[in-house]
Amino acid sequence: MNDLIEIRWHGRGGQGAKTASLLLADAAFNTGKYIQGFPEYGPERMGAPITAYNRISTKPITIHSNIYEPDYVVVVDDTLLESVDVTAGLKKTGAIVINTTKDSEYLKKQLKGYEGKIYKIDARKISMETLGKYFPNTPMLAAIVKVSKVMTDEEFLNDMQGSFKHKFAKKPEVIDGNMKALEMALKEVEEV
């Protein structure tokens, strides 16, 4: 892992991008890393575009601003590709991870010549199969962990098991589905 990895999340209000960025921060912290996980607030409402951020480092983080040149970008809703410049500032040495079923031609066109790596995953299919509802943030969280390698799959799954037990203490029946979603996503994220 580099000394500092910066991740920018693009989603819509209600899709869980903010929650996923905070879960990633917690998981990275629990593996001994320094972290930041925060949303960019404005007049957000259900369905409106939102942005969230992560900084993960092996050393103390002294930067306290939004992320303008991320190493990785996560796009939770592929309709944002047509309205938001998701690759703005994205480093060519990094990657973008998109929740989509669209083909590579469409993605490359929408990403306006981005030269870094492009990954995709069908978070809708995974969440419907494992959770019975559309919660794209859980599969997208696993996908960015896999692509960025901020921690091993094993560290990630162990931490998330504990996190879900705490978060869903009053709804333990959803823990297995969420864990299955993470495991499936780690296997199904693919480079375009």
Side-chain angles (χ1 to χ4, degrees), residues 110-161:
Q110 293 302 318
L111 297 177
K112 301 171 181 68
Y114 173 65
E115 297 173 16
K117 292 183 177 182
I118 303 167
Y119 292 85
K120 72 178 193 174
I121 186 166
D122 187 349
R124 177 180 296 277
K125 176 184 78 79
I126 292 170
S127 67
M128 293 304 289
E129 282 181 25
T130 59
L131 302 167
K133 292 184 180 176
Y134 183 43
F135 294 113
N137 62 336
T138 302
M140 296 308 292
L141 173 60
I144 191 58
V145 167
K146 185 70 167 187
V147 169
S148 68
K149 298 178 176 63
V150 296
M151 67 191 79
T152 67
D153 293 359
E154 187 179 336
E155 287 174 320
F156 173 64
L157 291 172
N158 287 340
D159 186 78
M160 293 311 297
Q161 180 78 39

Side-chain angles (χ1 to χ4, degrees), residues 55-129:
R55 283 193 180 93
I56 301 169
S57 180
T58 55
K59 297 178 180 171
I61 301 170
T62 58
I63 306 165
H64 299 283
S65 67
N66 287 348
I67 295 172
Y68 302 103
E69 294 183 351
D71 298 289
Y72 299 95
V73 166
V74 181
V75 181
V76 181
D77 186 322
D78 66 359
T79 64
L80 292 170
L81 298 175
E82 297 175 15
S83 59
V84 175
D85 185 3
V86 295
T87 59
L90 179 57
K91 295 175 184 168
K92 291 178 189 175
T93 55
I96 186 166
V97 182
I98 306 166
N99 171 19
T100 191
T101 57
K102 304 272 195 315
D103 63 30
S104 61
E105 303 294 318
Y106 172 84
L107 295 176
K108 289 176 181 173
K109 181 181 174 200
Q110 293 302 318
L111 297 177
K112 301 171 181 68
Y114 173 65
E115 297 173 16
K117 292 183 177 182
I118 303 167
Y119 292 85
K120 72 178 193 174
I121 186 166
D122 187 349
R124 177 180 296 277
K125 176 184 78 79
I126 292 170
S127 67
M128 293 304 289
E129 282 181 25

